[in-house]
Amino acid sequence: MIELLLPADVSCAATRAETVPEGTLFPEEEALVAKSVAKRRNDFATARACARRAMAGLGLPPVAVLHGHRGRPLWPEGIVGSLTHCNGYRAAALARATDVLSLGIDAEPHAPLPSGVRELVTLAAERERIGPPAPEGTGEIHWDRVLFSAKESVFKTWYPVTGIELDFIQADLTFHRTDGDGDGDGRLPHGGTAAEGAFAARLLLTDPALPTTLHGQWRIEDGIVATSVLVRPDWKDSDGW
């Protein structure tokens, strides 16, 4: 699914598998999760298996993917990328730095945010735009979860370039649908399970290395919300920035 949200010069790999065979990790990766619980080890390993497949898509040999501050993946020189994992979905997206300045991806279960989280990660204006939380089992889009995922993609794009923490309430997001269904309502298409669209994230904390508004894509399919953000190296020459 993540490959539908990114251009062809980004190499993507994803899996629904919860585990990978023993020996998938490099020794230095094993050391990072040696004392972790099984779920953490599985999340770490499956995401890195996706990363290796994405590397192959760029013609790169497989290498260890360690992490820096806030868990940011450390990619080979000249490569930018992002990882994500949630129950039922793991993915990696990589590109050459000559083609992409920065990118971020995120995946979440398509379900309401836990109680109390919505108010912590959204602005009042965003809550007004997306409306009240949708009950489960009604076929409605859980816009609070889509928004949360999109903000994760924004952060993953922002942080590697700026090295500055970005809080959830330091980006103001707006969404629209591009799937030709729903006419702006909050429901999945009749008889289907997929919906998609675009979003704009107006940054309330700015840095000259990035545009003041980041643009991304979102998609809901088979119970998963996926989002992406991508910035080109020549963004200052692009229309609108």
Side-chain angles (χ1 to χ4, degrees):
M1 175 167 58
I2 204 69
E3 72 278 0
L4 300 176
L5 305 182
L6 291 161
D9 56 357
V10 177
S11 179
C12 299
T15 182
R16 295 271 182 166
E18 300 287 334
T19 61
V20 292
E22 287 295 325
T24 296
L25 295 178
F26 283 77
E28 54 267 51
E29 292 173 329
E30 284 278 8
L32 294 177
V33 291
K35 297 182 180 179
S36 299
V37 299
K39 183 181 185 306
R40 166 61 179 153
R41 287 178 56 83
N42 290 335
D43 289 345
F44 184 94
T46 50
R48 276 150 181 80
C50 288
R52 245 85 81 182
R53 288 166 49 206
M55 290 175 192
L58 292 176
L60 300 173
V63 298
V65 182
L66 306 182
H67 58 66
H69 183 60
R70 288 291 302 267
R72 179 170 74 91
L74 301 178
W75 303 110
E77 185 175 356
I79 299 298
V80 299
S82 184
L83 300 175
T84 188
H85 52 76
C86 70
N87 288 339
Y89 194 80
R90 290 92 159 90
L94 275 69
R96 297 188 183 277
T98 52
D99 298 323
V100 175
L101 175 64
S102 189
L103 65 89
I105 63 171
D106 186 71
E108 303 283 336
H110 183 230
L113 287 174
S115 177
V117 174
R118 174 186 169 99
E119 287 69 27
L120 295 176
V121 301
T122 59
L123 297 164
E126 292 173 323
R127 293 194 294 274
E128 182 175 349
R129 286 194 291 267
I130 66 175
E136 289 196 77
T138 61
E140 294 186 58
I141 292 176
H142 299 294
W143 286 110
D144 54 351
R145 185 70 75 159
V146 179
L147 190 148
F148 177 85
S149 177
K151 289 196 173 187
E152 286 286 329
S153 288
V154 167
F155 177 84
K156 292 177 181 181
T157 304
W158 160 275
Y159 185 75
V161 176
T162 67
I164 301 170
E165 303 282 348
L166 186 71
D167 194 87
F168 281 104
I169 59 173
Q170 290 178 308
D172 185 6
L173 274 61
T174 55
F175 295 85
H176 71 271
R177 294 180 68 166
T178 59
D179 53 26
D181 198 300
D183 295 325
D185 71 15
R187 299 184 66 82
L188 293 169
H190 295 296
T193 60
E196 62 184 10
F199 64 89
R202 182 173 64 89
L203 300 177
L204 307 182
L205 175 66
T206 61
D207 188 284
L210 287 171
T212 56
T213 299
L214 301 181
H215 296 273
Q217 307 292 320
W218 62 269
R219 183 175 176 86
I220 301 167
E221 184 177 341
D222 294 334
I224 299 294
V225 176
T227 58
S228 72
V229 174
L230 181 144
V231 180
R232 296 289 188 183
D234 62 349
W235 64 267
K236 291 183 180 180
D237 301 324
S238 301
D239 292 341
W241 289 323

